[in-house]
Amino acid sequence: MKELKIESTLFIFDTIEELPKDVMSLMKKAFEARDKAYAPYSNFNVGAAILLENGEIITGNNQENASYPSGLCAERTAIYYAGSQYPEVKIVKMAISATSKNKPTSTPIPPCGACRQAIAEYEIKQKTPIEIYFMGESGHVAKSNSLTNLLPLVFDKYLL
Ligand code: THU
């Protein structure tokens, strides 16, 4: 038996002010999307903004449903729209922010497992890493240079 260690690297910015200008404005788009989320059941609003290689910015937010599993996370709402409208255009960066009406969100809030798997599909498809920045409502922003850092044992089509 061998031990397998998996290493992940994230970068932490103290505040949004420390981000590169283009990322700061992408994060602000995520804030705007977040504030338009439809989340009457969880009161947990999430916004995602995606920068495409052609300069377009696509945003999405979580959309909940009285039949709970029918709802969709912000990240997948955004990335599926990008994939449907710009199938040949690479995704460069994604910024994510989440707020809760129940408690403050001042630590970085990462995308859920299902969203990581969905983002991974596009990263593999385009053969280019996607930068992911995520945060709560305020405070530190975490950056991953590739989705691989967030989902090391990705389920990929070669396994099928
Ligand atoms: N949510 C997201 O939008 N993204 C995530 O990565 C995690 C969770 C949404 C789903 C649901 O509407 C609410 O947050 C609470 O789970």
Side-chain angles (χ1 to χ4, degrees):
M1 191 193 73
K2 281 187 191 159
E3 184 178 275
L4 173 66
K5 284 216 166 94
I6 299 172
E7 208 172 68
S8 256
T9 306
L10 294 179
F11 300 90
I12 308 294
F13 297 83
D14 276 344
T15 68
I16 185 176
E17 307 298 326
E18 226 184 77
L19 294 170
K21 281 264 156 354
D22 67 320
V23 180
M24 198 200 291
S25 81
L26 194 65
M27 189 56 87
K28 286 183 178 165
K29 297 271 183 207
F31 289 0
E32 286 169 24
R34 181 197 71 198
D35 294 340
K36 289 187 278 192
Y38 178 62
Y41 304 102
S42 69
N43 287 318
F44 192 79
N45 280 32
V46 187
I50 291 173
L51 174 67
L52 299 179
E53 204 175 40
N54 65 5
E56 285 278 338
I57 291 177
I58 306 293
T59 62
N61 48 33
N62 49 329
Q63 295 294 314
E64 297 187 349
N65 192 280
S67 169
Y68 291 2
S70 302
L72 194 64
C73 292
E75 296 88 331
R76 277 176 288 163
T77 302
I79 208 160
Y80 289 156
Y81 185 77
S84 67
Q85 298 302 304
Y86 300 94
E88 306 307 331
V89 183
K90 286 185 181 173
I91 295 166
V92 185
K93 302 172 191 195
M94 183 184 236
I96 305 160
S97 168
T99 61
S100 166
K101 292 195 177 123
N102 307 323
K103 57 177 191 170
T105 53
S106 49
T107 54
I109 297 182
C112 77
C115 287
R116 293 180 206 191
Q117 180 67 35
I119 301 165
E121 182 77 24
Y122 292 92
E123 186 169 279
I124 294 164
K125 175 176 167 250
Q126 69 180 29
K127 299 188 181 75
T128 311
I130 300 174
E131 283 179 21
I132 321 268
Y133 296 81
F134 52 94
M135 67 182 296
E137 183 172 14
S138 59
H140 294 175
V141 184
K143 174 195 180 192
S144 170
N145 279 335
S146 159
L147 199 276
T148 318
N149 291 306
L150 300 179
L151 190 62
L153 298 175
V154 65
F155 184 81
D156 190 8
K157 57 187 167 300
Y158 76 83
L159 298 167
L160 296 175

